[in-house]
Amino acid sequence: MQRDYSLPFVRNFGIIAHIDAGKTTTSERVLFYTGMSHKIGEVHEGEAVTDWMEQEKERGITITAAAITCFWTPTYHLTETEGVDNADKKKKAEAFRHRFNIIDTPGHVDFTEEVERSLKVLDGGIVVFDGVAGVEPQSETVWKQADKYHVPRVCFINKLDRTGASFDRSFKSILDRLNKNAVRMQIPIGEESEFEAVIDLLTMKAYYFEGEMGNSVRAAEIPEKYLEEAKKYRAELVEKIVENDESLMNDYLDGKEIPVEELKKGLRQAVIGVKVFPVFCGSALKNKGVQLVLDAVVDYLPSPLDVPHVKGTDPKTGEEIEREASDEAPFSALAFKLQTDPYVGQLTFFRVYSGTIEAGSYIYNATNGKKERLSRIVRLQANQREEVKKVFAGEIAAAVGLKDTRTSDTLCDEKNPILLDPIKFAEPVISLRIEPKTKADQEKMGYALKRLSDESPTFKVKSDSDTGETVIMGMGELQLEIMVDRMKREFSVEANVGKPQVAYKETVTRTAEAEHKYIKQSGGKGQYGHVKLNIKPLPALEEGKKIPKNVKRYDDFEFIDSVKGGVIPQEFIPAVEKGVHEAMDRGVIAGYKMTNISCELTFGSYHDVDSSEIAYKIAASQAFQDAAKRAGPVLLEPIMKVEVITPEKFMGDVTGHLASKRGQVEEVSDRGLDKVIHSSVPLAEMFGYITTLRSMTEGRAQFTMEFSKYEIVPPNVAQGIVESRK
């Protein structure tokens, strides 16, 4: 089986934004204009193709990332008088048909893991902004996530038909809060109820979207009243492009008129290099501007050949290796998402970086060292499945039948193994206790929670060793509410749920040392383990500095093996580290997990006969606990970034109330007639805040909240937390 398109004609991209900016509405237009659906499904009617879960339809929000494959032929083969429906033009344009693999991601902060894992495997992104609100808190979060993975992106300022919409204000918010290298590619003709078309600054044409669903794109001359403004912004655009291309800069300084095609090439290289971010405008709901954004995906976002080769390590030697995006290269892929399907069981979404794989063949999981048979491969259209026999480099597909593969595992050719960088997810910040309603629910609940935690890496399950109760943890109240609802609907499990609790952590503030000998004699072979540990706050990782071979560095922990002269045999060192890890799971103040600690093993001894792994594990665990008690332990609490939008007359009440919740107001800005209050508030103070806010502002204020960082809990508050844990 041969691929039916070449890699330069493939685009893997995601649609990312703050909640309610219009991602899913934009995705629905993409499906319609690319011919994948014959009816536009609206989010507010619960009919969006990509919002297929019951919980998504009921709430009108995206909860899980949906994958879509579709095809697009750019519209720029048009002339001023010929529309996109012209059959002759269409036939000639088929040679330029591109394959889009799109992921529509959630905008709610509780489901930010979906954005994280999608951006890890995608080559580009469309960032959607609300034309009224501009940059919002989650816009900043997804932008930083895209920065982390060096994802090239184009921007789409949506909803310009809404009352209060302003392209200029939204564009300025991108410059002020995200990146100074954003550049206007278009300006709107009219705004709010008068929004009717867009002006393309590169071609200097006005584009109108006609027909029942705006599917006929008509190019025309720019109206006289917008001509001067268009010329001014085109000059800015050209300057931005030539800044990043030396040969174009020379032509520009020589006063030469640079052809549009040359400007496009220069801009493409700047976008792929994450140096420039083109900004487009329109209204997805009113069917204006979406086709030109799809053209921009073709023109400016990278194909799998345009991005750097994927890098990984050799599982045997630890050496860095890379794989070229080619069908001839050895197979390598990253499993980035698990999803339970009611018809075929568990689906494993994977991105192929190199090589090919056929249904029915065996693949090697380099993360856990196991081989598995890939029974079937499906291509996803949200919740619809299309079976395929083979997938190629640069594709995104889903596997059926992989039982031992988890999110972030590397799948590869066993003869040419590679271990790709895993996806790093945020730690849960909120927890609640859950118990089955009946004995029949008890067994089913364990199975359901395992399946759900496999699907969602930020949803974790643990047992409280003191009470024997089951505790579920996640990124926010909504995520936990959805998981409990899914347990009921998908697994028929009825459960009683406790009140939400904050996921506190513990850490140390100074250096301390401790030594412990574990000696046990009970007749016959005894147990002997002796370690000396030094612990301190985890130092920041210096950029560019290599980690020494005797140091194991994790996100929140560092283990240093400094024993000399073989006083502890090498085979027992992993047991010491394991003992420290287990001790960190139960802190010394209130039993919360410990974090941000550097632990150095400095000395110890062993017994020729009695030393064992379990003895060293126990000795290390006890030594760590002793040292932690003397190292100035403190409680840490999650601090949330809170943004409140309120009418001006309630601003004093809102800021005063936030201050009473140990909140710090950082900035107040204007958004239309409203005030936007940016603040940092401990999560513990935010439960039930929406009810208080509504009653305080006659129901006219709203707020958004997302995790920001962990900070030390004030002593008086910490004392209350410790007493409640007792």
Side-chain angles (χ1 to χ4, degrees):
M1 179 184 167
Q2 298 297 313
R3 63 159 80 230
D4 52 0
Y5 52 89
S6 61
L7 270 176
F9 288 81
V10 177
R11 300 289 183 272
N12 296 312
F13 64 95
I15 300 178
I16 57 177
H18 183 91
I19 191 169
D20 276 345
K23 292 177 307 304
T24 303
T25 305
T26 304
S27 299
E28 289 301 311
R29 269 61 188 174
V30 172
L31 284 173
F32 179 75
Y33 295 133
T34 56
M36 293 309 296
S37 66
H38 301 290
K39 175 181 179 288
I40 292 178
E42 300 297 4
V43 176
H44 53 271
E45 292 169 1
E47 293 179 358
V49 173
T50 53
D51 284 354
W52 54 271
M53 288 172 67
E54 289 301 318
Q55 292 88 345
E56 293 177 315
K57 291 177 180 180
E58 289 168 3
R59 290 167 173 81
I61 62 168
T62 303
I63 291 168
T64 185
I68 311 157
T69 299
C70 54
F71 297 88
W72 177 248
T73 305
T75 60
Y76 43 68
H77 299 281
L78 314 175
T79 65
E80 285 183 33
T81 55
E82 290 173 317
V84 78
D85 297 323
N86 184 294
D88 220 28
K89 282 274 172 191
K90 264 192 165 178
K91 196 172 178 183
K92 287 177 185 172
E94 283 303 302
F96 299 94
R97 193 167 182 247
H98 284 66
R99 179 199 185 101
F100 287 173
N101 298 315
I102 308 171
I103 296 183
D104 174 38
T105 63
H108 196 287
V109 63
D110 283 16
F111 309 104
T112 192
E113 63 172 29
E114 296 285 349
V115 183
E116 188 81 24
R117 57 174 152 205
S118 299
L119 287 172
K120 171 74 174 174
V121 298
L122 292 170
D123 302 326
I126 298 175
V127 190
V128 183
F129 299 93
D130 184 323
V132 178
V135 173
E136 297 173 89
Q138 190 67 2
S139 313
E140 293 185 62
T141 303
V142 298
W143 192 272
K144 284 171 189 165
Q145 286 171 308
D147 280 342
K148 182 166 83 174
Y149 295 114
H150 305 289
V151 175
R153 61 218 92 131
V154 298
C155 305
F156 177 51
I157 295 178
N158 188 26
K159 300 190 177 185
L160 286 181
D161 60 302
R162 280 184 61 200
T163 303
S166 166
F167 176 76
D168 282 339
R169 188 176 66 238
S170 298
F171 178 74
K172 188 174 182 298
S173 71
I174 295 172
L175 295 179
D176 292 344
R177 295 175 64 179
L178 300 181
N179 199 293
K180 298 286 181 198
N181 291 320
V183 63
R184 291 176 181 85
M185 293 297 293
Q186 299 173 339
I187 55 172
I189 295 179
E191 280 177 349
E192 301 181 329
S193 60
E194 293 176 8
F195 174 59
E196 57 174 321
V198 300
I199 293 168
D200 186 286
L201 299 174
L202 214 52
T203 60
M204 288 299 277
K205 297 283 182 189
Y207 287 92
Y208 295 83
F209 303 87
E210 298 169 345
E212 192 182 345
M213 294 294 180
N215 53 348
S216 182
V217 182
R218 179 172 63 86
E221 293 302 322
I222 298 172
E224 191 66 37
K225 65 184 279 192
Y226 292 98
L227 199 54
E228 284 308 309
E229 186 185 8
K231 284 178 180 174
K232 173 187 153 191
Y233 290 131
R234 187 181 196 275
E236 283 181 15
L237 171 61
V238 172
E239 277 181 29
K240 201 72 171 173
I241 296 170
V242 301
E243 271 175 22
N244 295 283
D245 188 303
E246 196 175 332
S247 65
L248 291 181
M249 175 63 90
N250 291 334
D251 288 347
Y252 178 74
L253 293 174
D254 289 342
K256 293 179 184 174
E257 182 63 40
I258 304 169
V260 169
E261 284 309 310
E262 290 301 312
L263 288 171
K264 273 190 176 182
K265 281 181 192 171
L267 181 56
R268 176 177 176 76
Q269 291 311 310
V271 172
I272 290 171
V274 200
K275 295 173 183 171
V276 174
F277 305 96
V279 181
F280 297 81
C281 61
S283 166
L285 188 64
K286 299 296 183 190
N287 311 308
K288 289 179 171 65
V290 176
Q291 295 99 314
L292 300 188
V293 177
L294 296 182
D295 289 352
V297 168
V298 169
D299 289 338
Y300 308 119
L301 291 187
S303 76
L305 295 176
D306 296 315
V307 293
H309 296 165
V310 68
K311 290 182 179 176
T313 54
D314 186 316
K316 294 170 187 169
T317 65
E319 288 178 26
E320 187 176 88
I321 48 179
E322 59 178 42
R323 290 276 189 269
E324 182 188 355
S326 162
D327 294 345
E328 280 67 52
F331 173 69
S332 67
L334 187 73
F336 66 94
K337 178 179 168 68
L338 303 185
Q339 182 177 303
T340 303
D341 186 284
Y343 302 104
V344 297
Q346 185 167 280
L347 289 171
T348 306
F349 286 71
F350 62 96
R351 157 75 193 262
V352 182
Y353 286 102
S354 62
T356 63
I357 192 77
E358 291 189 48
S361 56
Y362 281 86
I363 54 173
Y364 177 67
N365 187 323
T367 307
N368 60 23
K370 294 181 180 178
K371 267 177 81 171
E372 288 195 79
R373 186 171 180 271
L374 184 62
S375 59
R376 290 162 61 199
I377 303 172
V378 292
R379 194 173 286 144
L380 276 294
Q381 304 295 348
N383 65 333
Q384 302 295 314
R385 294 159 302 281
E386 173 200 344
E387 198 145 336
V388 292
K389 296 292 180 198
K390 188 175 183 179
V391 287
F392 301 86
E395 286 199 8
I396 291 172
V400 180
L402 300 183
K403 292 188 170 55
D404 293 317
T405 300
R406 297 288 167 263
T407 300
S408 227
D409 283 2
T410 301
L411 308 173
C412 61
D413 175 12
E414 191 175 12
K415 292 176 185 171
N416 297 279
I418 185 172
L419 197 56
L420 302 175
D421 285 341
I423 311 167
K424 291 175 181 170
F425 296 101
E427 284 292 312
V429 295
I430 190 170
S431 66
L432 50 84
R433 297 177 188 279
I434 185 169
E435 61 179 20
K437 280 192 176 176
T438 66
K439 192 156 188 171
D441 288 319
Q442 193 158 2
E443 283 181 28
K444 289 193 289 184
M445 189 175 91
Y447 172 75
L449 289 175
K450 184 184 184 308
R451 293 298 291 268
L452 292 171
S453 61
D454 283 347
E455 277 188 35
S456 175
T458 59
F459 176 69
K460 297 193 175 173
V461 184
K462 71 170 186 177
S463 291
D464 189 313
S465 54
D466 291 341
T467 63
E469 293 174 302
T470 301
V471 178
I472 57 175
M473 297 172 287
M475 297 304 293
E477 290 178 84
L478 181 62
Q479 184 189 18
L480 297 182
E481 181 190 320
I482 296 288
M483 290 301 187
V484 172
D485 191 42
R486 285 188 63 192
M487 256 191 355
K488 183 178 176 182
R489 296 193 196 199
E490 294 172 30
F491 300 94
S492 305
V493 176
E494 296 284 348
N496 296 319
V497 179
K499 288 182 179 177
Q501 304 287 321
V502 176
Y504 294 100
K505 290 185 181 181
E506 297 181 25
T507 192
V508 297
T509 57
R510 57 177 182 262
T511 301
E513 194 174 55
E515 186 174 5
H516 191 82
K517 272 186 186 176
Y518 178 73
I519 305 172
K520 190 175 181 185
Q521 289 292 342
S522 54
K525 187 176 182 296
Q527 298 283 357
Y528 182 92
H530 170 213
V531 299
K532 191 174 185 180
L533 300 176
N534 191 330
I535 70 169
K536 63 181 180 181
L538 184 69
L541 189 62
E542 292 177 36
E543 199 173 328
K545 189 178 178 183
K546 274 201 163 185
I547 298 172
K549 284 188 176 177
N550 68 325
V551 177
K552 278 190 176 179
R553 179 87 185 209
Y554 306 92
D555 281 348
D556 62 348
F557 174 63
E558 178 181 74
F559 182 76
I560 305 167
D561 172 14
S562 295
V563 291
K564 299 280 191 295
V567 292
I568 298 176
Q570 201 59 38
E571 64 263 30
F572 295 129
I573 303 296
V576 174
E577 186 186 341
K578 197 170 182 185
V580 172
H581 272 296
E582 287 183 7
M584 283 179 68
D585 283 340
R586 188 158 187 83
V588 294
I589 303 174
Y592 291 107
K593 185 180 176 182
M594 301 197 79
T595 187
N596 290 345
I597 293 173
S598 174
C599 176
E600 184 178 13
L601 173 62
T602 57
F603 187 69
S605 63
Y606 76 103
H607 189 282
D608 287 337
V609 178
D610 292 349
S611 281
S612 66
E613 285 193 10
I614 188 72
Y616 278 104
K617 203 166 104 174
I618 294 168
S621 180
Q622 192 58 54
F624 180 87
Q625 292 267 327
D626 293 346
K629 286 171 186 171
R630 297 200 295 273
V634 290
L635 270 182
L636 299 173
E637 65 179 340
I639 303 296
M640 311 305 283
K641 189 160 66 172
V642 178
E643 184 179 277
V644 182
I645 304 163
T646 177
E648 189 172 0
K649 72 178 204 176
F650 302 113
M651 192 179 80
D653 293 341
V654 173
T655 52
H657 189 249
L658 287 171
S660 74
K661 289 180 165 290
R662 297 192 283 131
Q664 290 186 322
V665 176
E666 292 160 352
E667 184 192 349
V668 178
S669 59
D670 295 314
R671 187 174 295 169
L673 298 174
D674 291 334
K675 291 287 182 185
V676 183
I677 301 162
H678 306 269
S679 60
S680 294
V681 189
L683 174 61
E685 305 285 347
M686 291 303 294
F687 294 127
Y689 180 62
I690 187 65
T691 309
T692 312
L693 182 66
R694 282 174 180 160
S695 63
M696 198 191 308
T697 61
E698 300 168 4
R700 293 165 65 190
Q702 55 181 306
F703 85 102
T704 55
M705 174 175 77
E706 63 177 283
F707 173 72
S708 173
K709 59 193 171 189
Y710 269 90
E711 279 187 357
I712 295 173
V713 180
N716 59 323
V717 179
Q719 191 178 347
I721 295 166
V722 173
E723 284 173 5
S724 69
R725 289 284 280 183
K726 287 176 184 173

